[in-house]
Amino acid sequence: VQLVESGGGLVQPGKSLKLSCSASGFTFSSYGMHWIRQAPGKGLDWVAYISSSSGTVYADAVKGRFTISRDNAKNTLYLQLNSLKSEDTAIYYCASSMYYYVMDAWGQGASVTVSS
Amino acid sequence: DIQMTQSPASLSASLGETISIECRASEDIYSNLAWYQQKSGKSPQLLIYAANRLQDGVPSRFSGSGSGTQYSLKISGMQPEDEGDYFCLQGSKFPYTFGAGTKLELK
């Protein structure tokens, strides 16, 4: 199982960014997927979940600003980040979910810095 | 939202020592609890799920227990490679919530 995030970078407040997570080594279409973030020196913060049937759930802090999606043909998970704030600065991890909250594999993370 | 209170915040253990980390939920989470280990500069890894089920490949010195609102992770015999941060996660209700973490160091 391998998960590889990409798309991170430095972005100004109010702008947008799109993260990707390329999956391999398992049947991507059969798994739920999560995005989790970690601010510098802080703990883990769950962001969003998408089921194998593309149902979605979001943390309150990102609801209405972030959108999780998936392309099963490309074995890729996405996170669209809009209206970014400084408090969104973090490493963003994607994780596969063998059962809802059971995140059995994680990517290496993509760094997002929101600053003017 | 369900609050997860994790303790202690930090812990120093000697080689071979047995240690425990606790998580208390603000309401019954029906054993929908997982433990994750994060080594310095690395991604988190799953250790335990469903409160007491050991993930494949995780050493048997790790064990989980608990029910209702109280859960614990035990390491029976601290090893150098066990240094890192440990987080509990409740998966009973969305939004999922993590404990604040425990930093474990070798004395």
Side-chain angles (χ1 to χ4, degrees):
Chain A
V1 175
Q2 189 171 21
L3 298 168
V4 179
E5 298 94 338
S6 60
L10 173 63
V11 61
Q12 293 179 329
K15 300 295 189 181
S16 299
L17 203 63
K18 188 170 187 176
L19 303 180
S20 299
C21 169
S22 178
S24 60
F26 65 106
T27 307
F28 177 74
S29 60
S30 298
Y31 277 67
M33 298 291 295
H34 293 271
W35 287 99
I36 304 99
R37 65 185 179 183
Q38 187 169 34
K42 301 297 184 181
L44 300 171
D45 185 27
W46 175 80
V47 174
Y49 170 77
I50 185 167
S51 69
S52 57
S53 56
S54 295
T56 59
V57 191
Y58 298 91
D60 287 346
V62 308
K63 201 176 297 183
R65 299 189 299 122
F66 291 7
T67 302
I68 188 172
S69 62
R70 63 191 301 157
D71 185 335
N72 290 336
K74 295 183 177 180
N75 286 346
T76 302
L77 174 73
Y78 302 101
L79 186 68
Q80 177 70 44
L81 297 76
N82 296 333
S83 303
L84 281 160
K85 307 175 182 180
S86 58
E87 52 263 42
D88 296 320
T89 293
I91 295 175
Y92 284 74
Y93 297 101
C94 63
S96 59
S97 170
M98 58 188 275
Y99 175 76
Y100 289 104
Y101 68 98
V102 184
M103 302 162 190
D104 55 320
W106 295 60
Q108 86 288 351
S111 179
V112 173
T113 301
V114 183
S115 175
S116 55
Chain B
D1 298 359
I2 297 175
Q3 307 303 314
M4 300 300 294
T5 303
Q6 186 172 341
S7 62
S10 64
L11 190 52
S12 183
S14 302
L15 193 66
E17 184 178 350
T18 293
I19 67 98
S20 287
I21 298 169
E22 311 288 328
C23 265
R24 185 180 76 251
S26 58
E27 63 183 77
D28 194 328
I29 58 172
Y30 306 99
S31 296
N32 289 300
L33 183 108
W35 290 96
Y36 295 86
Q37 175 195 60
Q38 185 177 31
K39 297 183 181 180
S40 181
K42 302 293 187 181
S43 305
Q45 289 190 314
L46 176 66
L47 297 175
I48 301 279
Y49 62 97
N52 60 15
R53 300 193 69 171
L54 194 68
Q55 172 67 351
D56 290 347
V58 174
S60 58
R61 63 180 179 274
F62 291 91
S63 62
S65 63
S67 62
T69 62
Q70 300 273 10
Y71 298 87
S72 62
L73 172 71
K74 185 166 77 172
I75 305 176
S76 300
M78 174 74 180
Q79 298 299 308
E81 60 267 31
D82 298 337
E83 280 195 320
D85 296 324
Y86 291 80
F87 299 91
C88 62
L89 169 71
Q90 71 79 19
S92 178
K93 287 181 184 176
F94 285 110
Y96 292 161
T97 43
F98 287 91
T102 296
K103 178 175 288 295
L104 176 61
E105 297 178 330
L106 184 63
K107 196 181 293 181

